[in-house]
Amino acid sequence: MRKAIIAGNWKMNKTMAETKAMIAELAPKVKDADCDVVLCVPYTDILAAKRAAKGTNIKIGAENVHWAEKGAFTGEVSAEMLKELKVDYVIIGHSERRQYFGETDETVNKRTAAALNAKIRPIVCVGETEDERVNGLTEKVLYRQITEGLKGFKSKDFDKIVIAYEPVWAIGTGRTATATDANVTIGYIRKVLAKKFRGSVAEKTRIQYGGSMNVKNCKELMAEEEIDGGLIGGASLKADDFAYIVNYNK
Ligand code: PEP
């Protein structure tokens, strides 16, 4: 069976001192979690986060990675650099990256390959915008994001790849897809995985829901069969809220 994974996405929040304090507060609250617990933090917080999480069940991730080994890419960070920091996960293709920083399915594909080469687990984000949704394009958009973004990967790569289904209209807005809708859409993503890769890939790939997941809706969302976890933005910034979500089944 697929092990649930609850991951925080801190976005551009928290200094090193705040990182240390938050993880010290969080660690005892999540120590008995049945799921994988991950915090994806800004690059500048990674070292502090790794140190604070040492000896706990909290894994640390980054929020992006470049595909090139090295070179003239001012402001970017390579997979090798993250590997040296012993980063476990990396978010790729978040809708904010797609919207504000020109991320495409092609760059998602290249970044995912770089992460896998460095043995870092990619959390690949997909999801439709509000416009795409009202125009009935959700499945078409997801089909393209999955087939192009994950093109060329082998069955064994999906032991590491996590997919986050994040309807863009639900991110940071307080609006959430209903648990049933999220379940149906994630079921569709699984069908695409089965068609484009193979049935066993669809079976084993962990697919999270993301988009205003919080203490109020996490139990209902996590009770759905297709939903294997959450990618949590706002609610991952408070230790109590994030711990509550991580302990959704207690
Ligand atoms: C996110 O940033 O991936 C996210 C889901 O944010 P929020 O939980 O704040 O909607």
Side-chain angles (χ1 to χ4, degrees), residues 7-11 91 94-96 125 164-168 170-175 209-214 230-237:
N9 171 19
W10 281 4
K11 312 192 187 201
I91 297 173
H94 189 278
S95 67
E96 287 150 18
C125 301
Y165 167 58
E166 299 207 302
V168 179
I171 298 178
T173 58
R175 292 167 62 199
Y209 168 78
S212 299
M213 200 191 228
N214 56 38
L231 184 57
I232 325 287
S236 72
L237 296 171

Side-chain angles (χ1 to χ4, degrees), residues 1-168:
M1 275 317 288
R2 299 181 297 263
K3 187 173 185 194
I5 168 170
I6 302 287
N9 171 19
W10 281 4
K11 312 192 187 201
M12 196 173 72
N13 290 292
K14 295 200 188 288
T15 63
M16 280 203 292
E18 289 165 345
T19 298
K20 212 172 137 193
M22 160 98 185
I23 295 179
E25 189 187 346
L26 181 69
K29 298 178 200 274
V30 298
K31 68 177 180 18
D32 298 321
D34 298 322
C35 60
D36 286 336
V37 184
V38 183
L39 286 176
C40 296
V41 305
Y43 292 134
T44 48
D45 292 336
I46 290 174
L47 202 53
K50 283 295 298 186
R51 285 186 181 144
K54 199 168 177 198
T56 76
N57 57 336
I58 301 170
K59 303 281 186 216
I60 301 303
E63 297 178 14
N64 196 12
V65 62
H66 199 266
W67 55 85
E69 257 176 58
K70 57 169 82 163
F73 299 101
T74 304
E76 292 290 330
V77 166
S78 74
E80 199 57 33
M81 293 168 184
L82 295 179
K83 189 178 171 185
E84 201 171 286
L85 288 167
K86 299 197 166 43
V87 157
D88 300 292
Y89 289 85
V90 61
I91 297 173
I92 293 172
H94 189 278
S95 67
E96 287 150 18
R97 302 290 321 169
R98 293 180 191 257
Q99 188 180 351
Y100 306 127
F101 302 99
E103 196 79 65
T104 62
D105 296 326
E106 191 191 341
T107 58
V108 166
N109 189 261
K110 295 203 280 189
R111 291 181 203 277
T112 305
L116 288 170
N117 278 339
K119 300 197 164 34
I120 299 170
R121 294 172 186 267
I123 300 177
V124 179
C125 301
V126 296
E128 80 286 1
T129 62
E130 173 110 69
D131 251 23
E132 289 161 346
R133 182 180 177 86
V134 296
N135 287 305
L137 296 172
T138 299
E139 291 195 352
K140 193 173 172 204
V141 168
L142 291 173
Y143 185 87
R144 193 205 71 225
Q145 290 176 335
I146 295 287
T147 52
E148 295 299 313
L150 300 178
K151 191 157 65 184
F153 297 123
K154 303 269 180 304
S155 175
K156 71 169 176 25
D157 295 327
F158 290 86
D159 295 336
K160 292 219 159 58
I161 294 171
V162 175
I163 295 173
Y165 167 58
E166 299 207 302
V168 179

